[in-house]
Amino acid sequence: MYYNIQLLRGIAACMVVLFHVVLWLPQPAAGAEPVIYQIFHSWGKSGVDLFFVISGFVIMTSQMRKPRPVGTFLRDRALRILPLYWLVTLVFAALLLALPQLAGNQPDLTPARLLQSLGMVHFLLTGQFPVVFVGWTLEYEALFYLLFAIGMAFLPLRYLPLALGAVLAAIYLAGGVEARVIQFAMGMMIAQLRLRTDHLPFAWPLLLAGLAVFLGSIRWPNDDLRLLLWGIPSVMIVTALVFLPQIRNRLANYLGNASYAIYLVQPLAIPVGVKLTAALAGHAGFTAQALLVSSMAVIGGCLTHSFVEKPMNALLRRPRRVPAPAGVAP
């Protein structure tokens, strides 16, 4: 297992949570923004770029190590992301119906929007957020899985990173997706490199250079330069981390495993955390409130992972017992 990647997944999830929290809280006065706001109000969303590169790496590594037929691959991916996504979407939809004030600036909850959200195509078709707004990135994930499966059906696996990168770039140039989707293919190329060799002599310099650009972009966040400021550095960081000695830490490994639940549950957990913080610590400063709400959201995601996601996945992946033919002793 790549324990460094587990750690990075946990960090990326927490970055995105902080990004949403500092925007959810009452905004500080212009010119008096605390450091945590200055850092995360834009840069925090770069955690998504890390996720995309990691996803490409993990999917390619898994398929190269243990090849699966197209149908099995799609089934495994569906079982990994859909059950919790559907559950959270339906819970959020029920809350929107019961408490319409939660909608905020969201579009109305219509049957079409709900069905398209459950089908993971709403953002791709309309450009608007699905019912669970963070689901737009998961729609890109689902598109990547589908294209990966189609590619496997027609091409040897070794050609897939370049082919998929070209397809994603073409879809981007046609205006169908954002440029960051190309980072999936970059993650796949990292997997090919890692499985080809166990040693990268410049791993440490690569990590330091990637971190320098990635962290340096805090001072000049620019969505138009996202691929340059966040995408390429994410590739450098992930590449270095899979070659460097792996840091084995139980908490980091757990946060990596819980990162999907943390990411997905935050639209439900953050508003609750904001309300609780206002009631219990409304006198605290912006930084303290942001850290408190973020901690609540991360804990909520971890509880969801341990007590909902893991049992649900175990149940769905449990092998089915085939009844013995009549007359055959058990």
Side-chain angles (χ1 to χ4, degrees):
M1 176 179 287
Y2 293 102
Y3 291 98
N4 292 348
I5 298 303
Q6 287 289 86
L7 173 62
L8 191 62
R9 287 171 64 192
I11 291 172
C14 292
M15 287 170 59
V16 177
V17 167
L18 276 162
F19 163 67
H20 288 130
V21 167
V22 299
L23 295 179
W24 216 299
L25 288 169
Q27 297 298 280
E33 298 93 345
V35 172
I36 194 170
Y37 180 88
Q38 295 177 37
I39 292 175
F40 288 101
H41 84 282
S42 181
W43 178 79
K45 60 188 173 185
S46 61
V48 172
D49 298 79
L50 288 170
F51 272 131
F52 282 8
V53 177
I54 291 171
S55 181
F57 171 79
V58 169
I59 294 302
M60 188 67 177
T61 299
S62 174
Q63 188 63 21
M64 290 180 73
R65 284 181 168 174
K66 186 180 179 181
R68 292 159 291 177
V70 171
T72 303
F73 169 80
L74 288 173
R75 182 203 64 194
D76 290 348
R77 288 295 87 204
L79 288 175
R80 175 68 185 93
I81 66 171
L82 284 179
L84 187 62
Y85 182 68
W86 281 348
L87 178 61
V88 174
T89 296
L90 292 173
V91 168
F92 203 78
L95 288 173
L96 289 176
L97 291 174
L99 303 168
Q101 64 270 25
L102 291 178
N105 296 324
Q106 283 201 44
D108 292 337
L109 179 62
T110 62
R113 182 173 175 233
L114 177 58
L115 290 174
Q116 289 174 354
S117 296
L118 292 171
M120 304 192 84
V121 295
H122 184 72
F123 181 78
L124 293 173
L125 293 177
T126 69
Q128 296 181 332
F129 288 146
V131 173
V132 179
F133 67 83
V134 295
W136 70 269
T137 62
L138 301 179
E139 293 190 17
Y140 280 159
E141 285 272 354
L143 176 64
F144 165 56
Y145 297 156
L146 180 61
L147 292 175
F148 189 95
I150 293 172
M152 282 199 302
F154 294 99
L155 292 172
L157 199 58
R158 63 182 180 274
Y159 297 133
L160 219 51
L162 286 175
L164 200 56
V167 170
L168 290 170
I171 298 174
Y172 159 66
L173 292 173
V177 294
E178 299 178 20
R180 74 185 84 183
V181 298
I182 300 170
Q183 293 161 189
F184 289 121
M186 294 178 178
M188 295 168 64
M189 294 175 189
I190 298 172
Q192 280 189 315
L193 176 64
R194 181 62 183 85
L195 292 177
R196 191 175 298 136
T197 179
D198 291 329
H199 181 63
L200 190 68
F202 51 88
W204 277 113
L206 186 67
L207 176 63
L208 294 176
L211 287 173
V213 178
F214 194 78
L215 297 175
S217 67
I218 293 172
R219 301 297 299 174
W220 65 90
N222 187 330
D223 270 358
D224 293 334
L225 298 176
R226 183 171 197 142
L227 197 60
L228 179 63
L229 296 178
W230 296 339
I232 300 301
S234 293
V235 172
M236 297 166 70
I237 292 167
V238 172
T239 302
L241 288 179
V242 300
F243 281 98
L244 290 172
Q246 299 301 300
I247 301 172
R248 305 184 73 166
N249 180 277
R250 291 180 63 183
L251 177 59
N253 190 50
Y254 176 83
L255 285 176
N257 288 331
S259 60
Y260 180 56
I262 293 170
Y263 184 81
L264 193 52
V265 169
Q266 60 178 310
L268 296 171
I270 292 175
V272 174
V274 169
K275 292 286 186 182
L276 288 174
T277 300
L280 301 175
H283 60 283
F286 184 93
T287 298
Q289 290 191 39
L291 292 174
L292 185 57
V293 174
S294 298
S295 298
M296 292 180 184
V298 170
I299 291 171
C302 290
L303 292 173
T304 302
H305 169 67
S306 292
F307 298 106
V308 179
E309 183 185 21
K310 284 180 67 177
M312 186 164 55
N313 286 347
L315 179 64
L316 291 171
R317 290 177 180 272
R318 180 182 300 169
R320 295 181 180 180
R321 297 183 62 182
V322 180
V328 177

